[in-house]
Amino acid sequence: MTELKWTDTQMRRFKELGIVPEDVPSEAVTPELRNQFFQQIEKKKIKAEKQKLDTFLSNGGRVGLEKLSETLTRELVRQGFVRVTTPLILSKSALARMTIDESHPLFRQIYWISEKKCLRPMLAPNLYSLMIDFSRVRKGVTRFFEIGPCFRKESDGARHNSEFTMLNLVEMGLPMADREDRIQELATLVAESAGLTDYEFETESSEVYGSTLDIVAGPEKIEVASGAMGPHPLDAAWGFTDTWVGIGFGMERLLMTANKSSTIGRWGKSLSFLDGISLKI
Ligand code: ATP
Ligand code: MG
Protein backbone atom coordinates (compact mmCIF):
# COMPACT_ATOMS: atom_id res chain seq x y z
CA MET A 1 0.00 0.00 0.00
CA THR A 2 1.21 3.50 -0.73
CA GLU A 3 1.62 6.13 1.90
CA LEU A 4 -1.19 8.74 2.20
CA LYS A 5 -0.28 12.36 1.54
CA TRP A 6 -0.92 15.13 4.06
CA THR A 7 -4.13 17.08 3.38
CA ASP A 8 -3.96 20.71 2.20
CA THR A 9 -5.06 21.92 5.63
CA GLN A 10 -2.34 19.87 7.30
CA MET A 11 0.23 21.25 4.84
CA ARG A 12 -0.88 24.81 5.64
CA ARG A 13 -0.56 24.14 9.35
CA PHE A 14 2.97 22.76 8.86
CA LYS A 15 3.92 25.96 7.05
CA GLU A 16 2.45 28.07 9.85
CA LEU A 17 4.50 26.14 12.38
CA GLY A 18 7.68 26.37 10.30
CA ILE A 19 7.73 22.63 9.55
CA VAL A 20 9.07 21.54 6.16
CA PRO A 21 6.65 18.76 4.98
CA GLU A 22 9.52 16.86 3.33
CA ASP A 23 11.07 16.47 6.78
CA VAL A 24 7.95 14.63 8.05
CA PRO A 25 6.78 12.01 5.54
CA SER A 26 3.29 10.86 6.53
CA GLU A 27 4.21 7.12 6.57
CA ALA A 28 0.53 6.23 7.17
CA VAL A 29 -1.69 4.13 4.97
CA THR A 30 -5.11 5.05 6.40
CA PRO A 31 -6.56 8.54 6.97
CA GLU A 32 -7.05 7.79 10.68
CA LEU A 33 -3.42 6.85 11.21
CA ARG A 34 -2.24 9.81 9.16
CA ASN A 35 -4.40 12.23 11.18
CA GLN A 36 -3.19 10.75 14.44
CA PHE A 37 0.38 11.10 13.27
CA PHE A 38 -0.30 14.70 12.22
CA GLN A 39 -1.66 15.54 15.66
CA GLN A 40 1.42 14.07 17.34
CA ILE A 41 3.76 16.14 15.16
CA GLU A 42 1.70 19.29 15.70
CA LYS A 43 1.59 18.84 19.47
CA LYS A 44 5.32 18.21 19.71
CA LYS A 45 6.15 21.20 17.55
CA ILE A 46 3.81 23.55 19.46
CA LYS A 47 5.44 22.50 22.72
CA ALA A 48 8.93 23.10 21.31
CA GLU A 49 7.99 26.48 19.80
CA LYS A 50 6.33 27.64 23.03
CA GLN A 51 9.48 26.78 24.90
CA LYS A 52 11.67 28.62 22.38
CA LEU A 53 9.43 31.68 22.44
CA ASP A 54 9.41 31.72 26.23
CA THR A 55 13.22 31.54 26.36
CA PHE A 56 13.55 34.24 23.68
CA LEU A 57 11.14 36.60 25.48
CA SER A 58 12.74 35.94 28.87
CA ASN A 59 16.29 36.77 27.88
CA GLY A 60 15.91 40.04 26.00
CA GLY A 61 17.84 40.54 22.81
CA ARG A 62 17.51 41.01 19.11
CA VAL A 63 16.04 39.03 16.23
CA GLY A 64 18.28 37.43 13.58
CA LEU A 65 17.77 40.21 11.05
CA GLU A 66 18.93 42.81 13.57
CA LYS A 67 21.88 40.71 14.70
CA LEU A 68 23.00 40.21 11.12
CA SER A 69 22.64 43.90 10.48
CA GLU A 70 24.82 44.64 13.51
CA THR A 71 27.49 42.11 12.54
CA LEU A 72 27.71 43.38 8.97
CA THR A 73 27.74 47.00 10.10
CA ARG A 74 30.63 46.27 12.45
CA GLU A 75 32.64 44.45 9.77
CA LEU A 76 32.08 47.12 7.11
CA VAL A 77 32.83 50.01 9.47
CA ARG A 78 36.06 48.20 10.33
CA GLN A 79 36.89 48.30 6.61
CA GLY A 80 36.36 52.08 6.51
CA PHE A 81 32.76 52.14 5.32
CA VAL A 82 30.25 54.73 6.53
CA ARG A 83 26.67 53.60 7.17
CA VAL A 84 24.06 55.94 5.68
CA THR A 85 20.27 56.05 6.02
CA THR A 86 18.24 57.47 3.16
CA PRO A 87 14.48 57.98 2.60
CA LEU A 88 12.12 55.11 1.90
CA ILE A 89 10.00 57.34 -0.34
CA LEU A 90 11.36 57.69 -3.85
CA SER A 91 10.35 59.94 -6.73
CA LYS A 92 9.23 58.67 -10.11
CA SER A 93 12.03 60.69 -11.74
CA ALA A 94 14.71 58.94 -9.64
CA LEU A 95 13.29 55.61 -10.85
CA ALA A 96 13.36 56.86 -14.43
CA ARG A 97 17.05 57.70 -14.04
CA MET A 98 17.58 54.01 -13.31
CA THR A 99 15.73 53.38 -16.63
CA ILE A 100 12.83 51.92 -14.64
CA ASP A 101 9.89 53.23 -16.64
CA GLU A 102 6.70 51.60 -17.99
CA SER A 103 8.72 49.30 -20.26
CA HIS A 104 10.92 47.88 -17.46
CA PRO A 105 9.82 44.59 -15.78
CA LEU A 106 10.44 46.05 -12.31
CA PHE A 107 7.98 48.89 -13.00
CA ARG A 108 5.02 46.55 -12.46
CA GLN A 109 6.43 45.64 -9.03
CA ILE A 110 6.39 49.20 -7.69
CA TYR A 111 4.14 50.28 -4.80
CA TRP A 112 2.92 53.77 -5.67
CA ILE A 113 1.88 56.00 -2.81
CA SER A 114 0.92 58.93 -5.05
CA GLU A 115 1.18 59.81 -8.72
CA LYS A 116 4.86 60.70 -8.52
CA LYS A 117 6.04 58.94 -5.36
CA CYS A 118 6.65 55.30 -4.55
CA LEU A 119 8.22 53.08 -1.87
CA ARG A 120 11.77 52.34 -2.95
CA PRO A 121 12.24 48.96 -4.66
CA MET A 122 16.03 49.25 -4.29
CA LEU A 123 18.64 51.46 -2.63
CA ALA A 124 20.63 52.29 -5.78
CA PRO A 125 18.92 55.59 -6.79
CA ASN A 126 19.59 57.16 -3.37
CA LEU A 127 23.14 55.83 -3.32
CA TYR A 128 23.81 57.30 -6.76
CA SER A 129 22.66 60.66 -5.46
CA LEU A 130 25.13 60.38 -2.56
CA MET A 131 27.94 59.29 -4.90
CA ILE A 132 27.65 62.58 -6.79
CA ASP A 133 27.58 64.65 -3.60
CA PHE A 134 30.54 62.79 -2.12
CA SER A 135 32.59 63.10 -5.33
CA ARG A 136 32.21 66.88 -5.17
CA VAL A 137 34.05 67.11 -1.85
CA ARG A 138 36.69 64.44 -2.07
CA LYS A 139 38.95 62.56 -4.43
CA GLY A 140 40.27 59.07 -3.78
CA VAL A 141 38.42 56.14 -2.31
CA THR A 142 35.09 56.65 -0.52
CA ARG A 143 33.21 53.74 1.01
CA PHE A 144 29.63 53.70 2.24
CA PHE A 145 26.63 51.41 2.62
CA GLU A 146 23.00 51.34 3.60
CA ILE A 147 20.93 48.59 5.22
CA GLY A 148 17.22 49.24 4.93
CA PRO A 149 13.77 48.22 3.77
CA CYS A 150 12.82 47.87 0.10
CA PHE A 151 9.41 47.08 -1.35
CA ARG A 152 8.39 45.09 -4.42
CA LYS A 153 5.15 43.41 -5.44
CA GLU A 154 6.18 39.78 -5.79
CA SER A 155 4.32 36.61 -6.71
CA ASP A 156 6.87 33.94 -5.68
CA GLY A 157 6.56 33.60 -1.90
CA ALA A 158 9.29 31.05 -1.18
CA ARG A 159 12.17 33.38 -2.01
CA HIS A 160 10.55 36.79 -2.07
CA ASN A 161 8.98 39.07 0.51
CA SER A 162 7.12 42.15 -0.65
CA GLU A 163 8.92 44.03 2.13
CA PHE A 164 12.55 42.99 2.47
CA THR A 165 15.87 44.37 3.66
CA MET A 166 18.68 45.23 1.33
CA LEU A 167 22.32 45.84 2.18
CA ASN A 168 23.93 47.85 -0.59
CA LEU A 169 27.58 48.82 -0.38
CA VAL A 170 29.52 51.16 -2.65
CA GLU A 171 33.22 51.78 -2.98
CA MET A 172 34.00 54.65 -5.33
CA GLY A 173 37.20 56.15 -6.69
CA LEU A 174 39.25 52.95 -6.71
CA PRO A 175 41.80 52.21 -9.48
CA MET A 176 40.12 50.82 -12.60
CA ALA A 177 42.30 47.69 -12.59
CA ASP A 178 41.37 46.81 -8.98
CA ARG A 179 37.61 46.70 -9.44
CA GLU A 180 37.12 43.00 -10.18
CA ASP A 181 39.29 41.74 -7.34
CA ARG A 182 37.81 44.25 -4.94
CA ILE A 183 34.20 43.40 -5.67
CA GLN A 184 34.95 39.72 -4.98
CA GLU A 185 36.83 40.63 -1.81
CA LEU A 186 33.89 42.68 -0.50
CA ALA A 187 31.35 40.06 -1.51
CA THR A 188 33.40 37.42 0.33
CA LEU A 189 33.64 39.59 3.43
CA VAL A 190 29.87 40.02 3.66
CA ALA A 191 29.05 36.39 2.76
CA GLU A 192 31.46 34.99 5.36
CA SER A 193 30.48 37.48 8.06
CA ALA A 194 26.87 36.38 7.47
CA GLY A 195 27.92 32.77 8.08
CA LEU A 196 27.54 31.50 4.51
CA THR A 197 29.71 28.48 3.84
CA ASP A 198 28.30 27.09 0.60
CA TYR A 199 28.26 29.89 -1.96
CA GLU A 200 29.77 30.74 -5.31
CA PHE A 201 30.17 33.64 -7.68
CA GLU A 202 28.59 33.85 -11.07
CA THR A 203 30.29 36.47 -13.16
CA GLU A 204 28.88 37.61 -16.42
CA SER A 205 30.08 40.12 -18.85
CA SER A 206 27.38 42.01 -20.67
CA GLU A 207 27.98 44.52 -23.43
CA VAL A 208 25.39 46.83 -22.00
CA TYR A 209 26.12 46.49 -18.28
CA GLY A 210 29.80 45.59 -18.32
CA SER A 211 30.95 43.00 -15.79
CA THR A 212 28.33 41.80 -13.28
CA LEU A 213 28.70 39.49 -10.30
CA ASP A 214 26.00 37.43 -8.61
CA ILE A 215 26.47 35.42 -5.44
CA VAL A 216 24.43 32.25 -5.21
CA ALA A 217 24.17 30.01 -2.16
CA GLY A 218 23.30 26.44 -1.27
CA PRO A 219 22.53 23.43 -3.46
CA GLU A 220 19.60 25.30 -5.01
CA LYS A 221 21.91 28.18 -5.95
CA ILE A 222 19.65 30.84 -4.48
CA GLU A 223 20.71 34.35 -5.48
CA VAL A 224 21.74 36.27 -2.37
CA ALA A 225 23.42 39.26 -4.00
CA SER A 226 24.00 41.05 -7.22
CA GLY A 227 26.94 43.34 -7.96
CA ALA A 228 28.03 45.74 -10.68
CA MET A 229 30.84 48.16 -11.38
CA GLY A 230 31.33 51.51 -13.04
CA PRO A 231 31.95 53.32 -15.32
CA HIS A 232 28.47 51.96 -16.08
CA PRO A 233 25.83 52.91 -18.68
CA LEU A 234 23.54 54.27 -15.93
CA ASP A 235 26.20 56.72 -14.68
CA ALA A 236 25.49 59.33 -17.38
CA ALA A 237 21.93 59.90 -16.15
CA TRP A 238 23.39 60.85 -12.73
CA GLY A 239 26.37 62.78 -14.13
CA PHE A 240 28.82 60.45 -12.40
CA THR A 241 32.18 59.78 -14.08
CA ASP A 242 34.45 58.13 -11.48
CA THR A 243 35.02 54.37 -10.99
CA TRP A 244 32.92 52.37 -8.50
CA VAL A 245 31.98 48.88 -7.39
CA GLY A 246 28.66 48.10 -5.71
CA ILE A 247 26.84 45.03 -4.37
CA GLY A 248 23.24 44.63 -3.19
CA PHE A 249 22.53 41.78 -0.75
CA GLY A 250 19.13 40.53 0.34
CA MET A 251 19.49 40.31 4.14
CA GLU A 252 16.65 37.78 4.51
CA ARG A 253 18.18 35.67 1.73
CA LEU A 254 21.48 35.70 3.62
CA LEU A 255 19.73 34.55 6.81
CA MET A 256 17.70 31.92 5.01
CA THR A 257 20.68 30.39 3.17
CA ALA A 258 23.04 30.61 6.15
CA ASN A 259 20.39 28.67 8.11
CA LYS A 260 20.00 26.16 5.25
CA SER A 261 16.31 26.97 4.99
CA SER A 262 14.41 26.73 1.72
CA THR A 263 11.76 29.38 2.47
CA ILE A 264 12.23 33.05 3.24
CA GLY A 265 9.04 33.69 5.28
CA ARG A 266 10.49 33.00 8.73
CA TRP A 267 13.51 35.22 8.23
CA GLY A 268 11.85 38.50 7.35
CA LYS A 269 9.56 40.96 9.06
CA SER A 270 6.47 39.03 10.04
CA LEU A 271 3.54 38.77 12.42
CA SER A 272 3.58 34.98 12.11
CA PHE A 273 7.17 34.37 13.17
CA LEU A 274 9.52 35.99 15.65
CA ASP A 275 13.18 35.23 15.11
CA GLY A 276 12.15 32.11 13.18
CA ILE A 277 9.80 30.93 15.97
CA SER A 278 6.17 30.36 14.99
CA LEU A 279 3.68 32.63 16.78
CA LYS A 280 0.66 30.62 15.62
CA ILE A 281 0.88 28.27 18.57
P1 ATP B 1 15.26 37.71 -8.04
O1 ATP B 1 15.60 37.34 -9.46
O2 ATP B 1 15.53 36.63 -7.05
O3 ATP B 1 13.89 38.30 -7.91
P2 ATP B 1 16.42 40.27 -8.41
O4 ATP B 1 17.29 40.12 -9.61
O5 ATP B 1 15.07 40.86 -8.59
O6 ATP B 1 16.28 38.86 -7.65
P3 ATP B 1 18.07 42.40 -7.42
O7 ATP B 1 17.21 43.46 -7.99
O8 ATP B 1 19.38 42.13 -8.06
O9 ATP B 1 17.23 41.05 -7.29
O10 ATP B 1 18.27 42.70 -5.85
C1 ATP B 1 19.45 42.38 -5.13
C2 ATP B 1 19.20 41.33 -4.06
O11 ATP B 1 18.07 41.66 -3.27
C3 ATP B 1 18.88 39.94 -4.62
O12 ATP B 1 20.07 39.24 -4.90
C4 ATP B 1 18.12 39.30 -3.48
O13 ATP B 1 19.03 38.78 -2.52
C5 ATP B 1 17.41 40.47 -2.85
N1 ATP B 1 15.98 40.53 -3.23
C6 ATP B 1 15.44 41.04 -4.36
N2 ATP B 1 14.10 40.97 -4.33
C7 ATP B 1 13.78 40.41 -3.13
C8 ATP B 1 12.54 40.09 -2.48
N3 ATP B 1 11.36 40.37 -3.03
N4 ATP B 1 12.58 39.52 -1.25
C9 ATP B 1 13.77 39.26 -0.66
N5 ATP B 1 14.97 39.56 -1.21
C10 ATP B 1 14.98 40.12 -2.43
MG1 MG C 1 13.16 40.05 -8.64
Side-chain angles (χ1 to χ4, degrees), residues 253-271:
R253 294 249 183 117
L254 284 175
L255 276 178
M256 152 190 180
T257 52
N259 284 288
K260 309 218 180 310
S261 173
S262 54
T263 51
I264 198 166
R266 291 158 67 182
W267 309 104
K269 296 179 190 170
S270 165
L271 288 176

Side-chain angles (χ1 to χ4, degrees), residues 106 109 152 154 160 253:
L106 196 56
Q109 294 184 258
R152 296 182 190 180
E154 301 277 7
H160 295 86
R253 294 249 183 117

